[in-house]
Amino acid sequence: MIRESGISRRDLLKYLLALPAVAALPALASCNQMGQVSQLNIASGEDGGMYYQFASLLSKALVENAVAEQSQALNTQASAQNLSMLAGNKAELALALADTVDQYRKSNQQKTDVMALGRVYQNYFHCILRPDSGIKSLQDLAGRTIGTGAPGSGTWVTGQRILQAAKLKGTDKAPKELQYGYVAGLTALDRGIIDALFLFGGLPVTSLAELASSTDLALLDVSSVLPQLREQYPNLYDRVVIPEGTYRAIPSVDTIGVGNLLMARADMPEELAGAIVKLLANHADQLIPESSSGIQYLTPETLISTGNQPLHPGARKAYQELHG
């Protein structure tokens, strides 16, 4: 991963640990005599996607390491829905892209019901094409039909910001947008229903890798709008590289990266939040899907890089203990 930032993770850690703690609200779930919470379900993503794969491994680890008696990964349409489920007590944990979290918190300024436990991996924005599409830049998407992600997904949120930054929204050049999830979107791309597909995920995206194994595909460099995104949405977007060989016959390409955060409600007990953080840091080897090349960075220094989203006070204490 390539990260452009003017502040080191160590400095960020020191800054965040210096922030005043927030008083915890009443506990969200009862604990048994061993200190386990009864249930920790994780709002994740579509079955087969990286969100769901990671959440499935995390739920298993939570039970095996005696953090929770029961836990399961919940199928969802990803980030925005996950935050809604978390805030509505339909899940105890949620995965969400940092920019979607930022948007959620800004649209709910009177509420501080969700807080970050840590950044669990990097997401890479994919703009997927057929090689014969004639699309060589974002501007070439003008007038085309594109899949922009399922409603409420992080793909859709970031994709809208990219299109806006490229001046492709609200004009006669605007592309026709179809809100496909990634599985339906890849099918539509393969059948020629759409000219391009937006997709956000860890590396590699399994379904994309499967399609690329039998179908010629290309990836578009969308990093040209990174300066505009950073100016409007500070501390959220990175320049990253999808390496050559990630997908068959596709060369390396620059793109935009956003951290994927593990979120909890503010009323989670501090001891429980700390236990989850320590599991993430100390049992990272249990949390890497077999297909993944993008979830190897679960250390205190990388976990704490939450794009300026507030850390749960229990998580902050755990990072202080882990950091020494």
Side-chain angles (χ1 to χ4, degrees):
M1 180 183 72
I2 296 175
R3 181 178 177 87
E4 296 179 351
S5 175
I7 183 171
S8 70
R9 289 192 177 102
R10 181 176 292 272
D11 289 341
L12 177 62
L13 179 65
K14 291 178 180 178
Y15 168 74
L16 289 173
L17 293 177
L19 295 176
V22 179
L25 299 176
L28 83 167
S30 60
C31 296
N32 64 18
Q33 291 182 349
M34 297 177 62
Q36 291 174 304
V37 68
S38 58
Q39 181 170 285
L40 285 176
N41 289 337
I42 310 163
S44 59
E46 294 185 60
D47 192 1
M50 193 69 75
Y51 277 35
Y52 186 78
Q53 292 175 29
F54 177 82
S56 296
L57 291 174
L58 178 57
S59 66
K60 181 179 178 181
L62 288 167
V63 174
E64 289 182 348
N65 291 280
V67 177
E69 292 182 23
Q70 299 180 51
S71 177
Q72 68 180 76
L74 306 178
N75 287 134
T76 71
Q77 292 294 327
S79 294
Q81 182 184 358
N82 293 352
L83 293 170
S84 178
M85 291 176 66
L86 181 64
N89 295 301
K90 296 180 179 178
E92 288 72 44
L93 296 168
L95 295 171
L97 288 170
D99 56 349
T100 307
V101 174
D102 182 67
Q103 178 173 279
Y104 172 85
R105 291 183 63 83
K106 287 178 179 176
S107 65
N108 296 272
Q109 291 185 6
Q110 302 305 314
K111 300 167 65 177
T112 56
D113 54 354
V114 299
M115 305 187 82
L117 297 182
R119 189 194 78 166
V120 291
Y121 64 91
Q122 179 82 315
N123 281 262
Y124 297 74
F125 194 88
H126 298 61
C127 181
I128 311 159
L129 317 163
R130 298 298 290 265
D132 58 358
S133 67
I135 298 171
K136 304 298 182 183
S137 70
L138 280 171
Q139 300 308 315
D140 292 334
L141 294 176
R144 299 298 192 99
T145 301
I146 61 176
T148 51
S153 68
T155 297
W156 187 84
V157 171
T158 309
Q160 294 302 296
R161 292 181 175 185
I162 289 173
L163 291 174
Q164 190 72 45
K167 298 184 174 15
L168 289 173
K169 295 287 292 182
T171 71
D172 56 1
K173 297 180 180 180
K176 179 181 179 181
E177 299 180 30
L178 300 177
Q179 290 187 298
Y180 288 121
Y182 72 89
V183 174
L186 288 169
T187 300
L189 183 67
D190 189 35
R191 294 177 178 176
I193 297 171
I194 57 178
D195 300 304
L197 175 68
F198 289 172
L199 189 157
F200 228 149
L203 295 183
V205 176
T206 303
S207 297
L208 173 56
E210 291 173 353
L211 179 60
S213 69
S214 59
T215 303
D216 290 338
L217 298 172
L219 292 174
L220 183 68
D221 182 347
V222 299
S223 63
S224 61
V225 297
L226 190 57
Q228 296 95 310
L229 291 176
R230 284 177 163 175
E231 181 178 359
Q232 189 166 1
Y233 309 103
N235 305 310
L236 290 176
Y237 297 104
D238 298 319
R239 182 186 300 273
V240 295
V241 176
I242 298 176
E244 182 176 3
T246 303
Y247 306 104
R248 183 192 66 86
I250 299 179
S252 66
V253 61
D254 287 353
T255 189
I256 291 168
V258 176
N260 190 50
L261 308 183
L262 181 63
M263 304 295 296
R265 288 193 298 277
D267 63 358
M268 175 175 279
E270 290 189 16
E271 295 79 4
L272 177 57
I276 295 170
V277 165
K278 290 176 181 178
L279 184 149
L280 292 171
N282 295 328
H283 298 278
D285 59 330
Q286 300 177 26
L287 304 174
I288 303 174
E290 290 184 2
S291 63
S292 171
S293 59
I295 309 182
Q296 285 89 5
Y297 306 104
L298 297 185
T299 66
E301 290 80 3
T302 55
L303 281 164
I304 204 168
S305 300
T306 57
N308 286 356
Q309 297 309 307
L311 279 170
H312 190 288
R316 189 184 302 116
K317 288 181 180 179
Y319 290 125
Q320 189 170 26
E321 293 176 14
L322 288 166
H323 199 263

